[in-house]
Amino acid sequence: MEMEQLVALCKRRGFLFQSSEIYGGLNGFWDYGPMGVELKRNIRDAWWHDMVTSHNELDISPGAPSTYEMTGLDCTIIMHPQVWKCSGHYDLFHDFMIDCRESKRRYRYDQVNGRWVEGKGKRAFVTTGAVSDEERQEDVQRKALKLFGLRAKHVDQLQWDGPMVSLTTLDDDFAEVLGPDAKTLGTLTEPREFNLMFKTYIGALGGEESVAFLRPETAQGIFVNFKNVLDSTRVKLPFGIAQVGKSFRNEITPRNFTFRSREFEQMEIEFFCHPDSSPDWYTYWRDRRYQWYLDLGLARERLQLRDHDPEELSHYSCGTADIEYAFPFMAAGEFGELEGIAHRGDFDLRSHMEGKLVRQGDELVVEEGEDGKPRHRGSGRDLQYYDDQTKERFTPHVIEPSAGADRATLAFLCEAYQEDEVPNEKGKLTKRVYMKFHPRLAPVKAAVFPLVRKDGMPEVAKEIYGQLKTQHNVFYDEKGAVGRRYRRQDEIGTPFCITVDGQTLTDGTVTIRDRDTLEQWRIKKEDCLAELTKRLTGG
Ligand code: GAP
């Protein structure tokens, strides 16, 4: 599947629109249309149901080290600015950027790649912003020829020196560097830091005193409410707090449809446990979250669980794994992150007690400013846990499965897109596009059609529709040829279509059609609700 086909279908069928499209759109922002909003809601609901509400805290779940409890929260998007100072986001949540003085464009330092090359006795490091290896090589070669004033047929006069490498591997002297969109050498500036948090102002005054940030993750709202949850419920360790909500990052290069957006939704769990059992809980959550995507239909050959190498780990993490999907816009063999599962130790709770932490040898210590005082002071509140059975007091360790609702939606959209050939009304084979969503995720669960708009068929169909509507999101359609109505439903991924026809009026049965197999069979019209419910729930 080409990404363009999916993007076109998403617009045509109301899954996704560019934000503020009538004004030319806004880069990195996307709106969910009537079908998209249902799909994303179903993903969020499936996540919340499977992780929180359906969890039975009395039984040991398969693979879990013990029983555990789950609960939820819904925090504000704007929080006290000190939250981000202690979490590290204020100082550390940034990308390095370089500007091009010639093209006036800005690039993420680590996303610019290039090769050393010589031609006509001159030497340059020619860069590209292209994503795939093949595009990079083509782009660099084209630019090198142009730079040295050579024609394509003289490509063998280019002498390459070493492989394609990141610009970050060079010294900061860019005098011999050709920027990705420049025609002359040495136009790139030195890398500069750029914080990814969106800034805003609280109240009417608007000075530095009133600066606040839109949250870049939902996780911190959970940490700062840890004590509130403990005190207001009877939860005992181990337990998890889940939250779903919007996050905002001023991404330098939003790209690949919704994959990297500036406003997006996260589905995060902070799971608090005893330090001794935390490695086992890390393994449990990592495997459980991987299985969740498989259960909802992502293909195993496109989904991978990748444990981070030790050098990739954050300074506080004892283990992190990413669940990654082979999105169609990635180069062959490359995967994009859907969710990270991190063992965060006691870093977060300690940060909000003591102040921003830094690693010193094997220890995490409060970072000090030049005055010897904490660089960012913590809340001073006691966020430790007291176990009244063992009489032990300790700071719990945290396992964090952190998923993106929009990335999951995009992966399920990519996975669902299918094409086949089916006979039309005249028996001629024609191309069909259909979205093979898991029934739990499908935006519309069934469509009800009268074959024709006469002979009492619409009346029967409307009655069935009314019954189904009480429990499922169903769609009624009586306009146009029935074949075209089927195709419309296939394109939005409706698993079943129920049709009232001439036979219904004589024997009270209707046809039910399966989206994927195109199989049709007859059931009694009064059994429609039970049949649909059974098929949707796999019963
Ligand atoms: N609390 C940990 C945390 O936020 P993260 O890896 O930065 O970790 C977690 O984000 C998930 O949020 C990612 O795996 C991804 O699914 C989603 N996400 C992050 N940045 C995103 C963006 N710019 N656009 C869409 N989704 C994003």
Side-chain angles (χ1 to χ4, degrees), residues 142-196:
R142 193 178 44 76
K143 285 181 187 149
L145 287 169
K146 210 163 178 187
L147 178 71
F148 299 131
L150 291 168
R151 288 167 179 269
K153 62 182 178 189
H154 297 133
V155 67
D156 51 355
Q157 292 185 24
L158 293 176
Q159 286 165 16
W160 299 101
D161 180 8
M164 186 80 65
V165 289
S166 166
L167 184 64
T168 55
T169 60
L170 268 61
D171 293 335
D172 281 357
D173 177 10
F174 295 151
E176 290 182 299
V177 174
L178 180 71
D181 297 287
K183 294 194 179 70
T184 48
L185 298 183
T187 61
L188 295 182
T189 62
E190 280 187 12
R192 280 181 305 165
E193 284 179 47
F194 184 88
N195 196 295
L196 298 183

Side-chain angles (χ1 to χ4, degrees), residues 304-321:
Q304 75 173 16
L305 185 59
R306 187 179 66 82
D307 284 304
H308 284 206
D309 296 330
E311 56 274 17
E312 260 186 286
L313 296 179
S314 320
H315 61 288
Y316 48 76
S317 182
C318 320
T320 298

Side-chain angles (χ1 to χ4, degrees), residues 216-217 219 249 251 258-262 264 266 268 270 337-340 344 400 402-404 406-407:
E217 61 170 26
R249 296 184 190 176
E251 299 282 1
T258 58
F259 181 81
R260 180 166 293 117
S261 308
R262 290 179 164 140
F264 56 96
Q266 290 185 308
E268 297 199 289
E270 304 304 327
E337 179 186 324
L338 277 184
E339 169 161 355
R344 299 178 62 94
E400 178 192 65
S402 172
D406 305 84
R407 287 220 186 141

